[in-house]
Amino acid sequence: MRHRVKGKILDRPTGPRQAMMRSLATNLVIYEKIKTTEGKAKAIKPVIEKYITDSKKNDLATRRKLLKFFYWENAVKKMLEVIGPRYKDRKGGYTRIIKLGTRPGDRAKVVQLEFV
């Protein structure tokens, strides 16, 4: 039974999966859109939206929380100075998933995850 089990496993052990999620989130913040598989995009979307909601209030506790998750300090700076104020009046739904088709090699569904 899967009572109260959250998140996707994505066929990886815990450490590499968490590293992949941090990397995807960092790249999404830096480049503002990424091309990845549908499963990874659906897994990272709620994570990044929670951090965007946190970045709306620009204080020291939020900065430290973001620094623990994102790999680059540039990403944290951009979250607090650019992305947080951009969505100040929006209550949620900061990202969108656009389907692009399938990858030729393994027929994986490829999507583009971007900010609204």
Side-chain angles (χ1 to χ4, degrees):
M1 289 184 269
R2 333 180 36 250
H3 297 298
R4 299 177 61 89
V5 176
K6 293 176 80 174
K8 299 287 184 191
I9 294 182
L10 299 172
D11 200 26
R12 286 169 174 78
T14 304
R17 180 177 62 247
Q18 289 173 346
M20 181 194 65
M21 298 286 268
R22 289 176 65 193
S23 176
L24 283 172
T26 303
N27 286 322
L28 179 62
V29 169
I30 294 295
Y31 300 114
E32 298 203 5
K33 61 182 171 181
I34 54 172
K35 195 162 91 170
T36 184
T37 61
E38 188 175 17
K40 291 176 189 173
K42 285 183 177 181
I44 197 64
K45 187 174 179 175
V47 174
I48 195 71
E49 295 210 0
K50 285 176 188 168
Y51 282 111
I52 292 172
T53 302
D54 287 341
S55 71
K56 287 183 188 181
K57 55 179 191 279
N58 188 356
D59 59 351
L60 183 60
T62 303
R63 178 176 292 276
R64 287 179 177 165
K65 184 177 180 181
L66 294 175
L67 281 169
K68 283 172 72 174
F69 182 74
F70 291 105
Y71 280 124
W72 299 336
E73 196 169 328
N74 293 342
V76 173
K77 187 174 179 182
K78 186 171 182 180
M79 283 285 283
L80 294 173
E81 294 176 2
V82 178
I83 295 173
R86 182 191 305 171
Y87 297 116
K88 198 68 166 175
D89 298 329
R90 194 176 178 102
K91 294 193 185 276
Y94 312 112
T95 58
R96 76 167 64 109
I97 295 176
I98 300 170
K99 296 183 180 185
L100 299 177
T102 56
R103 198 162 46 201
D106 59 354
R107 303 286 293 166
K109 294 178 183 176
V110 178
V111 298
Q112 181 173 338
L113 181 64
E114 62 184 16
F115 292 120
V116 175

